[in-house]
Amino acid sequence: MEVIRHGRVDVDATAGGAGGASELTPADKAAFRARQSRARDLLRGDLEGQDLEAQVRESVLTTTLDKASKWASGNSIFPLTFGLACCSIDLINLVGSRMDISRFGGEAMRGTPRQADMIILAGRVSMKMAPVVRRVYDQMLEPKYSIAMGACSSSMGVFNNYAIVPADKFMPVDVHVPGCPPRTESLVYGILKLRRMIQDDPEMGWRDRYRAHGTEENPRQPLMSMDELETRAAEATERERILREGGTGA
Amino acid sequence: MLDVEELERLSTVVGGSDSAVLGTTLTSCRAELQVRPGSIVDVLERLRGEGYNMLMSLHGVDYFPEEPRLGVAYELLSFEHQRRLSVKLRVSLDTPNVPSVTPTWPTANFHEREVYDMFGVVFDGHPDLRRILMPEDYIGHPQRRDFPIGGEPVLFTGNEDGNPGWWK
Amino acid sequence: MVEVSTERTTTTVEYRAGEASIDFAEQLGTVVQHEQAELLTVNFGPHHPATHGVLRLLTTLEGEVVRDVQPIIGYLHTGIEKTAEDKAYWKVVPIVERMDYLAYYFNAMAYCGAVEDLLGIEVPKRAQYLRVIHMELNRIMSHLVWLATTALDVGAMSILWYGFRERDTILDLFEYSSGQRVHPRYFQIGGVMEDIPAGWEAKLRRFLTEMPKRIGQYESMLSNNEIFLRRMRDVGVADAETLQAKGVAGPLLRAAGVPWDLRKTMPYSSYEDFDFKVPVGTRGDNYDRYLVRMAEMRESLKIIEQAIDNLPEGPYITEDRKVALPPRHELATSMEALIHHFKLVTEGMRVPAGEAYHAIEGPRGELGCFVRSDGSSKPARVHMRDPSFVHLQAFGDMARNEYIADMIITLACLDPILGGIDR
């Protein structure tokens, strides 16, 4: 007896039947033929645009290559030397022999943003410096990452005054490393966290680890769908109309 | 440290004919001459003649509720006597002009620019009076006492949505 | 019209006498006399690996010779002085520490000295000696970072790693005594925060026996190194009159021949109890500045050794309860101690009205702090006179008519710290 699941014949049930694994539906055969012809076109160089992308995405070999390339790029981050203030001294300490950044592949500190992957914003960003930092960040090529080292660049830090800008205001920051200045071990921890994010293996936040969802101070409202937004807008218009007419009416 | 007689002698020498010295102060840690703003260049020259050859610091002070409001302090150091002397002058906000000592004491260049930037005291005769620490087009003089300190509110999860970031 | 001096001394070594005929002054002379000498203004932007911090230099070049340098600062302005007016006196110490970020104990000492002058209190002897030990350790650490970054600029990169290795040893000592490696808030108004723990002295003595050998190793690598000599000798010369006119004091002035050191001439915090020499240079070039700083490191080691040998017993902070927190065990028994503790922590200490300017010898020069008090518990004005801010004005004179590479070295030997310049 044949058990049909998802349009395909169950192999185990047809042990007594003829064929087994070679019992393919016409749809499967057509799909296979399509894939085969696409592969042939690819080899000939005839595939272009969307077809090429679809082919590449589907082939298993490239997905593994993707993971491998991410692993490699996570292990060879080129930091950009952007030492501003006190944190920069601990940044140079990172290159030193006690906390060797070279064991993570990051000792090639680049002076130019064009060749760098990661900007470590070490130090307080003043009002005059913020456009300069943004310009340097814009000059970096994708994929680029940024670490805000220290309390002054992550938030205002010790100095809550007219002269300092937190880095979140003018550029996207991937990892914030707290401390004033952060111990070099903390910075290494931040770089390793970034590395896991690059390698598509982001660490769980503490709420995941401790299953503490729902403990936020002000739980965010879930995003509304388009229909819901339209219904709410219609209700509001209705209420306004009633108010207006009710006011002028009776 | 200076003693009283030395300070009195200096103030007469330095005051000269135009009675530039308005007063003196002597505490256990500081000897100070208060001078008229217009005569600061002559006063410093006479003090250089008395052996005070280094102008170590030039900074502004805002005596906010008291008038005249803006003060400029000059810290002098004598290598041969190993003594310090301070010279102070006060100007009000409506006439914040002080003659610049940069031509005779080149070290005052950056200092006077900083006092101008932070307090708004205008130094006449300065070769290049523009802002040094704040951006060139900044409006306001930050270190005056009535300038707000500024800053950002502390972010909690409750109010972090209202705070603009780079993506907003 | 650009005025140029065509004198350039060339260092000759005996067996290179044949090359002495290559005198760049001649070529320089011809270039300048040419009517269409082109001047190119180049911006060494605030983000640059060779400027020590976010310093912007507008350099006017003729070929590779620097004709004029204009520093533009303000890229690190933090408003430290304004923030300090908003905090109680003892809370200002960490704010002010972050100004010159390699000489944090010195910033704190200048400020605490000024406030102690205003208060008129006496700091106990033990606290003074502990302050001296920590300040001299900080001086060695600052000179090590200077040596590391200057050697990196010259090209001797290995010194960078050695310098930071020694710096880590010193930072371990700081962490042991106060809990934090950098910006430890150890100096308080009236003394130090805490007494040194057990085992700190042993660790310090181990450091003191090891460090002179290490300094000897660095000197043997650099002092007679021909490349180093050629790059630093007679480069960035500034004579004593120009420097004094620009208000420069510290290792730069000492390298130019003037033996002015505030620790010897106007001693503070028991420096008169110690026997040490003040190294003075002769020519005022970059090599003399290097030698002066290396010698200063050795003298600092001597001071630390004398201080730790003669460390007196006694309190580590003033006994005046209106200024310093009472010890914890007193809070359980004495009502006055409790009240003092409460007042100090919530409101802070009240300082009588007045003004004070206290200057100390920092690793870069004279570090002064001006404090004005109006009688309340918050300072009315705190101004730090930073040496790097003043020395940057002399930089234009030192770098004129040098090659760009020499200008970078001169900037490194000037030892500017942008945190102090921009405050």
Side-chain angles (χ1 to χ4, degrees), chain A residues 81-82 84-86 89-90 92-93 95 98 111 124 126 128-129 158-159 161-164 180-181 183-184, chain C residues 47 54 73-80 82-83 95 98 101 161 164 167-168 172 175 180-183 419:
Chain A
T81 59
F82 213 99
L84 291 162
C86 350
I89 310 294
D90 267 332
I92 310 179
N93 228 10
V95 186
R98 187 181 275 198
R124 41 200 193 238
S126 78
K128 221 168 164 179
M129 193 64 191
V158 195
F159 311 103
N161 57 24
Y162 60 91
I164 301 285
C180 190
R183 284 188 65 115
T184 325
Chain C
H47 171 241
V54 280
I73 59 179
Y75 290 95
L76 201 56
H77 178 64
T78 326
I80 285 184
K82 180 96 184 168
T83 313
I95 304 286
R98 281 149 173 82
Y101 42 80
W161 273 270
F164 275 87
R167 180 177 174 258
D168 262 321
D172 282 345
E175 192 183 10
Q180 180 148 320
R181 289 156 36 114
V182 184
H183 302 324

Side-chain angles (χ1 to χ4, degrees), chain A residues 27-243:
Chain A
D28 292 332
K29 288 185 188 156
F32 174 68
R33 229 165 269 128
R35 276 206 312 277
Q36 207 181 26
S37 65
R38 253 192 307 173
R40 205 169 42 226
D41 288 338
L42 173 71
L43 283 172
R44 268 200 229 125
D46 282 341
L47 266 188
E48 284 182 48
Q50 295 283 58
D51 297 330
L52 181 57
E53 282 198 38
Q55 170 69 6
V56 164
R57 232 179 293 126
E58 281 176 32
S59 72
V60 176
L61 182 62
T62 322
T63 328
T64 319
L65 255 182
D66 219 12
K67 269 202 198 145
S69 82
K70 281 201 185 130
W71 173 87
S73 75
N75 273 331
S76 68
I77 312 178
F78 282 11
L80 175 68
T81 59
F82 213 99
L84 291 162
C86 350
C87 284
S88 63
I89 310 294
D90 267 332
L91 192 64
I92 310 179
N93 228 10
L94 195 67
V95 186
S97 49
R98 187 181 275 198
M99 281 309 135
D100 197 5
I101 198 182
S102 168
R103 48 192 169 133
F104 310 119
E107 85 270 18
M109 288 210 141
R110 294 279 153 229
T112 159
R114 296 285 184 193
Q115 296 172 0
D117 280 332
M118 165 173 81
I119 177 170
I120 302 185
L121 203 56
R124 41 200 193 238
V125 187
S126 78
M127 291 264 291
K128 221 168 164 179
M129 193 64 191
V132 177
V133 179
R134 178 71 214 198
R135 204 190 278 185
V136 166
Y137 182 77
D138 285 338
Q139 283 179 344
M140 287 166 70
L141 306 174
E142 291 281 342
K144 56 189 174 186
Y145 309 98
S146 61
I147 295 185
M149 174 185 179
C152 290
S153 52
S154 316
S155 57
M156 306 278 264
V158 195
F159 311 103
N160 198 3
N161 57 24
Y162 60 91
I164 301 285
V165 183
D168 279 319
K169 286 247 160 152
F170 59 87
M171 81 182 217
V173 174
D174 291 311
V175 176
H176 298 268
V177 182
C180 190
R183 284 188 65 115
T184 325
E185 289 97 331
S186 301
L187 182 59
V188 169
Y189 181 67
I191 292 178
L192 289 179
K193 243 190 166 159
L194 180 73
R195 188 176 80 154
R196 292 185 61 171
M197 198 187 87
I198 298 174
Q199 291 171 346
D200 255 355
D201 179 26
E203 286 181 11
M204 287 197 293
W206 64 268
R207 283 212 165 86
D208 296 307
R209 275 204 298 276
Y210 299 116
R211 300 204 198 111
H213 286 288
T215 58
E216 293 94 352
E217 280 168 33
N218 218 357
R220 294 168 194 273
Q221 304 293 340
L223 286 175
M224 289 187 267
S225 68
M226 215 44 216
D227 301 334
E228 231 189 291
L229 282 170
E230 281 175 18
T231 347
R232 287 166 72 106
E235 285 172 11
T237 336
E238 188 62 38
R239 266 181 269 133
E240 217 173 308
R241 191 187 58 78
I242 295 176
L243 266 174

Side-chain angles (χ1 to χ4, degrees), chain C residues 94-201:
Chain C
I95 304 286
V96 156
E97 251 181 356
R98 281 149 173 82
M99 183 193 79
D100 180 344
Y101 42 80
L102 275 182
Y104 25 95
Y105 284 115
F106 292 96
N107 300 337
M109 174 74 213
Y111 171 75
C112 290
V115 179
E116 283 153 13
D117 279 345
L118 279 175
L119 283 169
I121 58 175
E122 176 74 29
V123 180
K125 221 41 181 159
R126 186 177 175 91
Q128 288 185 7
Y129 274 54
L130 284 177
R131 279 180 171 182
V132 164
I133 296 175
H134 282 86
M135 279 199 287
E136 293 305 315
L137 277 173
N138 200 353
R139 191 187 305 269
I140 299 176
M141 191 265 277
S142 170
H143 284 325
L144 276 171
V145 175
W146 165 82
L147 181 67
T149 46
T150 304
L152 180 68
D153 283 344
V154 171
M157 260 172 61
S158 38
I159 308 282
L160 175 76
W161 273 270
Y162 297 145
F164 275 87
R165 177 190 62 181
E166 305 313 325
R167 180 177 174 258
D168 262 321
T169 327
I170 298 181
L171 291 184
D172 282 345
L173 278 169
F174 288 162
E175 192 183 10
Y176 201 167
S177 72
S178 60
Q180 180 148 320
R181 289 156 36 114
V182 184
H183 302 324
R185 202 181 60 85
Y186 186 59
F187 288 4
Q188 295 293 305
I189 297 173
V192 293
M193 177 174 79
E194 240 182 33
D195 211 344
I196 47 174
W200 195 80
E201 192 178 323

Side-chain angles (χ1 to χ4, degrees), chain B residues 110-123:
Chain B
F110 275 19
H111 284 120
E112 287 182 347
R113 281 177 67 186
E114 189 196 345
V115 177
Y116 165 67
D117 188 5
M118 293 284 126
F119 291 94
V121 177
V122 177
F123 289 92

